[in-house]
Amino acid sequence: MRSSEYKIIKSSWGIWISITAEIGSVQHDQLEVTDLIGIKLAPDCINLSPQEIDYLKAGIKWVEHLITPKIAAPITIKILEIRLVLTDYQAEGLYYAIASWLAEQFGFNLPSYRYSYNKEKNRYEFPDMIN
Protein backbone atom coordinates (compact mmCIF):
# COMPACT_ATOMS: atom_id res chain seq x y z
CA MET A 1 0.00 0.00 0.00
CA ARG A 2 1.43 3.32 -1.05
CA SER A 3 0.20 6.92 -0.86
CA SER A 4 0.96 9.74 -3.23
CA GLU A 5 0.01 13.40 -3.13
CA TYR A 6 -0.75 15.57 -6.12
CA LYS A 7 -0.95 19.32 -5.74
CA ILE A 8 -0.98 22.52 -7.78
CA ILE A 9 -1.10 25.91 -6.13
CA LYS A 10 -0.81 28.86 -8.52
CA SER A 11 -3.36 31.23 -7.02
CA SER A 12 -5.19 31.74 -3.74
CA TRP A 13 -6.38 28.14 -3.99
CA GLY A 14 -5.10 24.99 -5.59
CA ILE A 15 -5.71 21.32 -6.17
CA TRP A 16 -4.69 18.78 -3.54
CA ILE A 17 -5.47 15.07 -3.80
CA SER A 18 -3.93 12.14 -1.95
CA ILE A 19 -4.38 8.62 -3.30
CA THR A 20 -3.57 5.46 -1.38
CA ALA A 21 -3.60 2.35 -3.52
CA GLU A 22 -1.92 -0.97 -4.19
CA ILE A 23 -1.33 -3.21 -7.17
CA GLY A 24 -2.96 -6.63 -7.13
CA SER A 25 -4.10 -9.43 -9.36
CA VAL A 26 -7.18 -9.15 -11.56
CA GLN A 27 -10.46 -8.91 -9.63
CA HIS A 28 -13.77 -10.25 -10.96
CA ASP A 29 -15.61 -7.03 -10.04
CA GLN A 30 -13.01 -4.53 -11.22
CA LEU A 31 -13.66 -1.70 -13.65
CA GLU A 32 -11.84 -2.36 -16.90
CA VAL A 33 -9.54 0.42 -18.03
CA THR A 34 -7.40 -1.34 -20.64
CA ASP A 35 -6.75 -4.96 -21.62
CA LEU A 36 -4.05 -5.17 -18.94
CA ILE A 37 -5.19 -2.72 -16.29
CA GLY A 38 -8.32 -2.51 -14.17
CA ILE A 39 -9.29 -0.53 -11.09
CA LYS A 40 -11.23 -1.48 -8.03
CA LEU A 41 -12.49 1.16 -5.65
CA ALA A 42 -12.60 0.55 -1.91
CA PRO A 43 -15.95 1.19 -0.20
CA ASP A 44 -14.72 4.65 0.90
CA CYS A 45 -14.40 5.63 -2.76
CA ILE A 46 -17.88 4.64 -3.90
CA ASN A 47 -19.10 8.22 -3.70
CA LEU A 48 -17.09 9.18 -6.76
CA SER A 49 -19.23 10.43 -9.61
CA PRO A 50 -19.09 8.72 -13.01
CA GLN A 51 -17.15 11.76 -14.29
CA GLU A 52 -14.57 11.39 -11.49
CA ILE A 53 -14.16 7.68 -12.28
CA ASP A 54 -13.69 8.60 -15.94
CA TYR A 55 -10.87 10.99 -14.93
CA LEU A 56 -9.17 8.15 -13.03
CA LYS A 57 -9.47 5.84 -16.03
CA ALA A 58 -8.21 8.50 -18.44
CA GLY A 59 -5.22 9.25 -16.20
CA ILE A 60 -4.30 5.56 -16.23
CA LYS A 61 -4.65 5.41 -20.02
CA TRP A 62 -2.42 8.49 -20.31
CA VAL A 63 0.53 6.63 -18.76
CA GLU A 64 -0.41 3.09 -19.85
CA HIS A 65 2.46 2.94 -22.34
CA LEU A 66 4.89 3.50 -19.44
CA ILE A 67 3.31 0.79 -17.26
CA THR A 68 2.76 -2.12 -19.64
CA PRO A 69 6.49 -2.80 -20.25
CA LYS A 70 6.87 -3.20 -16.46
CA ILE A 71 4.11 -5.77 -15.86
CA ALA A 72 4.09 -9.45 -16.79
CA ALA A 73 0.36 -10.07 -16.42
CA PRO A 74 -2.88 -8.06 -16.10
CA ILE A 75 -3.18 -6.05 -12.89
CA THR A 76 -5.77 -4.30 -10.79
CA ILE A 77 -5.08 -0.97 -9.16
CA LYS A 78 -6.90 -1.20 -5.84
CA ILE A 79 -7.71 2.35 -4.79
CA LEU A 80 -8.00 2.20 -1.03
CA GLU A 81 -8.46 5.86 -0.21
CA ILE A 82 -8.80 9.20 -1.92
CA ARG A 83 -8.37 12.19 0.35
CA LEU A 84 -9.05 15.73 -0.72
CA VAL A 85 -9.99 19.10 0.61
CA LEU A 86 -13.12 20.36 -1.13
CA THR A 87 -11.82 23.92 -1.11
CA ASP A 88 -8.68 22.69 -2.94
CA TYR A 89 -10.28 20.28 -5.35
CA GLN A 90 -11.12 20.10 -9.00
CA ALA A 91 -12.19 16.75 -10.48
CA GLU A 92 -9.64 16.96 -13.29
CA GLY A 93 -6.96 16.61 -10.63
CA LEU A 94 -7.87 12.92 -10.31
CA TYR A 95 -6.44 12.38 -13.81
CA TYR A 96 -3.01 13.63 -12.75
CA ALA A 97 -3.21 12.27 -9.20
CA ILE A 98 -3.59 8.65 -10.35
CA ALA A 99 -0.91 9.14 -13.02
CA SER A 100 1.42 10.55 -10.33
CA TRP A 101 0.71 7.57 -8.08
CA LEU A 102 1.51 5.19 -10.94
CA ALA A 103 4.72 7.08 -11.74
CA GLU A 104 5.89 6.60 -8.15
CA GLN A 105 4.74 2.98 -8.03
CA PHE A 106 6.40 1.93 -11.29
CA GLY A 107 9.41 4.25 -11.20
CA PHE A 108 8.93 6.45 -14.24
CA ASN A 109 8.79 10.20 -14.76
CA LEU A 110 5.38 11.67 -15.30
CA PRO A 111 5.08 12.97 -18.86
CA SER A 112 5.16 16.74 -19.06
CA TYR A 113 1.88 18.59 -19.26
CA ARG A 114 0.66 22.15 -19.15
CA TYR A 115 -1.81 23.81 -16.85
CA SER A 116 -2.86 27.35 -16.09
CA TYR A 117 -5.20 29.12 -13.75
CA ASN A 118 -8.10 30.89 -15.47
CA LYS A 119 -9.12 33.78 -13.20
CA GLU A 120 -12.34 34.44 -15.10
CA LYS A 121 -13.52 30.84 -14.70
CA ASN A 122 -11.90 30.51 -11.27
CA ARG A 123 -10.44 27.11 -12.14
CA TYR A 124 -7.39 25.38 -13.50
CA GLU A 125 -7.25 24.40 -17.14
CA PHE A 126 -5.32 21.44 -18.54
CA PRO A 127 -5.03 21.85 -22.32
CA ASP A 128 -3.06 18.59 -22.78
CA MET A 129 -5.55 16.36 -20.98
CA ILE A 130 -6.65 13.38 -23.04
CA ASN A 131 -10.05 11.89 -22.19
Side-chain angles (χ1 to χ4, degrees):
M1 176 172 51
R2 180 180 224 165
S3 294
S4 175
E5 289 185 5
Y6 174 77
K7 64 182 170 180
I8 294 176
I9 300 175
K10 287 277 191 182
S11 69
S12 61
W13 73 277
I15 297 174
W16 180 87
I17 300 169
S18 173
I19 293 181
T20 302
E22 62 187 15
I23 300 295
S25 58
V26 173
Q27 304 287 305
H28 71 330
D29 57 348
Q30 72 182 16
L31 301 171
E32 298 294 327
V33 178
T34 72
D35 290 341
L36 294 174
I37 304 168
I39 57 174
K40 182 172 181 171
L41 304 173
D44 290 347
C45 297
I46 60 171
N47 291 327
L48 293 178
S49 71
Q51 179 190 36
E52 290 169 318
I53 293 169
D54 286 345
Y55 280 126
L56 288 172
K57 290 178 177 181
I60 294 166
K61 289 177 185 176
W62 181 50
V63 295
E64 173 190 15
H65 68 285
L66 299 167
I67 300 167
T68 53
K70 298 176 182 261
I71 58 176
I75 61 168
T76 298
I77 302 164
K78 298 177 188 175
I79 300 175
L80 305 172
E81 181 181 43
I82 296 176
R83 293 183 321 140
L84 52 93
V85 178
L86 290 177
T87 56
D88 285 328
Y89 175 70
Q90 191 173 309
E92 293 92 331
L94 290 167
Y95 179 102
Y96 295 104
I98 192 65
S100 295
W101 184 88
L102 288 162
E104 288 184 25
Q105 180 70 29
F106 287 99
F108 61 83
N109 292 323
L110 197 62
S112 63
Y113 63 96
R114 296 174 296 147
Y115 63 90
S116 62
Y117 182 72
N118 184 323
K119 289 182 182 182
E120 291 176 8
K121 294 181 180 179
N122 196 31
R123 60 186 295 108
Y124 287 90
E125 294 178 338
F126 301 91
D128 301 326
M129 185 179 288
I130 302 167
N131 285 344

